[in-house]
Amino acid sequence: NAGVTQTPKFRVLKTGQSMTLLCAQDMNHEYMYWYRQDPGMGLRLIHYSVGEGTTAKGEVPDGYNVSRLKKQNFLLGLESAAPSQTSVYFCASSYTKDTQYFGPGTRLTVL
Amino acid sequence: GENVEQHPSTLSVQEGDSAVIKCTYSDSASNYFPWYKQELGKRPQLIIDIRSNVGEKKDQRIAVTLNKTAKHFSLHITETQPEDSAVYFCAASIMDTGRRALTFGSGTRLQVQP
């Protein structure tokens, strides 16, 4: 099992550009999450999904959109990137045992 | 919503000493409290968790205690080793709901001096 994977690992964008981050899990987990991690602020929840076809807002959803068309994939989109979105993005998934498994992260820089 | 505060932000101990990290939470409905360890440049990994129906849980050198009345929980690491050096995050959530997302503390950077 690959567990939770994220694509890409690194990305540099210019202000106003768009991009999509892909999270994939092969553990048949129902729940998937996107977090961002900034220095001194821990991990903050952007959006999450409790099953295929469902999404919900987290703590810091502005400027991001998500989709969960397939159970194993959770996509995070930035329509018009801003420097404030420079961060490390982590995807996570969980089943009913509550333990969340994290992906390796995507380091995004917006210039 | 839930708010989790974590202290201290940095902690330096000598190898072999104990380390204690404390967290408080605001939502009395929270009933699941995991601790994650994150090494530099790596993903957070679960090291121990506790549910609100128990007051203490231990796994080798790591233990977590929970005080529901005071709404705080702590991570205890005994006989620290250099490989324990990392950032530790506490978190809280309400299980058995559709949300299940975690609210994290801001992290504690633990440095174990050899």
Side-chain angles (χ1 to χ4, degrees):
Chain A
N1 285 357
V4 181
T5 59
Q6 292 182 232
T7 309
K9 290 183 171 57
F10 303 93
R11 185 72 185 268
V12 178
L13 290 178
K14 294 181 180 179
T15 297
Q17 288 185 318
S18 63
M19 78 163 294
T20 300
L21 283 66
L22 170 64
C23 176
Q25 52 93 5
D26 60 2
M27 297 176 282
N28 200 34
H29 285 171
E30 290 292 334
Y31 302 85
M32 296 188 75
Y33 317 84
W34 276 107
Y35 294 92
R36 60 177 288 173
Q37 185 174 36
D38 302 295
M41 300 187 72
L43 293 105
R44 293 182 293 168
L45 182 69
I46 305 171
H47 286 280
Y48 64 99
S49 168
V50 301
E52 181 179 324
T54 73
T55 63
K57 294 181 180 180
E59 181 185 355
V60 288
D62 294 343
Y64 305 95
N65 56 76
V66 289
S67 63
R68 183 109 181 262
L69 298 179
K70 294 183 179 181
K71 186 178 184 178
Q72 63 268 34
N73 295 337
F74 195 28
L75 279 64
L76 177 71
L78 286 73
E79 291 185 347
S80 180
S84 61
Q85 294 177 304
T86 293
S87 188
V88 180
Y89 292 85
F90 285 99
C91 174
S93 70
S94 67
Y95 194 49
T96 59
K97 283 292 186 182
D98 310 326
T99 301
Q100 291 192 16
Y101 298 89
F102 283 82
T106 294
R107 185 172 296 275
L108 175 66
T109 302
V110 183
L111 302 176
Chain B
E2 176 66 277
N3 182 49
V4 177
E5 295 191 355
Q6 183 172 346
H7 300 280
S9 57
T10 61
L11 180 60
S12 181
V13 300
Q14 291 294 124
E15 182 176 357
D17 287 350
S18 295
V20 180
I21 302 170
K22 299 182 179 181
C23 289
T24 60
Y25 61 98
S26 61
D27 191 341
S28 57
S30 289
N31 56 11
Y32 175 64
F33 308 93
W35 286 88
Y36 284 82
K37 175 183 179 182
Q38 186 178 30
E39 298 176 352
L40 189 62
K42 301 289 183 63
R43 73 189 77 188
Q45 293 197 304
L46 180 74
I47 56 172
I48 195 167
D49 58 11
I50 191 168
R51 288 166 174 77
S52 60
N53 57 345
V54 297
E56 184 174 359
K57 184 177 179 180
K58 192 172 181 179
D59 183 3
Q60 299 184 337
R61 297 185 296 107
I62 294 173
V64 58
T65 58
L66 171 65
N67 183 327
K68 288 188 293 182
T69 303
K71 291 191 284 187
H72 68 71
F73 56 112
S74 300
L75 178 70
H76 305 254
I77 306 174
T78 58
E79 301 172 18
T80 54
Q81 301 167 3
E83 51 265 36
D84 294 328
S85 296
V87 178
Y88 292 80
F89 292 96
C90 63
S93 70
I94 304 172
M95 292 294 100
D96 303 318
T97 67
R99 188 172 184 270
R100 293 177 174 267
L102 297 169
T103 300
F104 283 85
S106 55
T108 296
R109 183 173 300 278
L110 174 65
Q111 183 69 42
V112 180
Q113 307 288 346

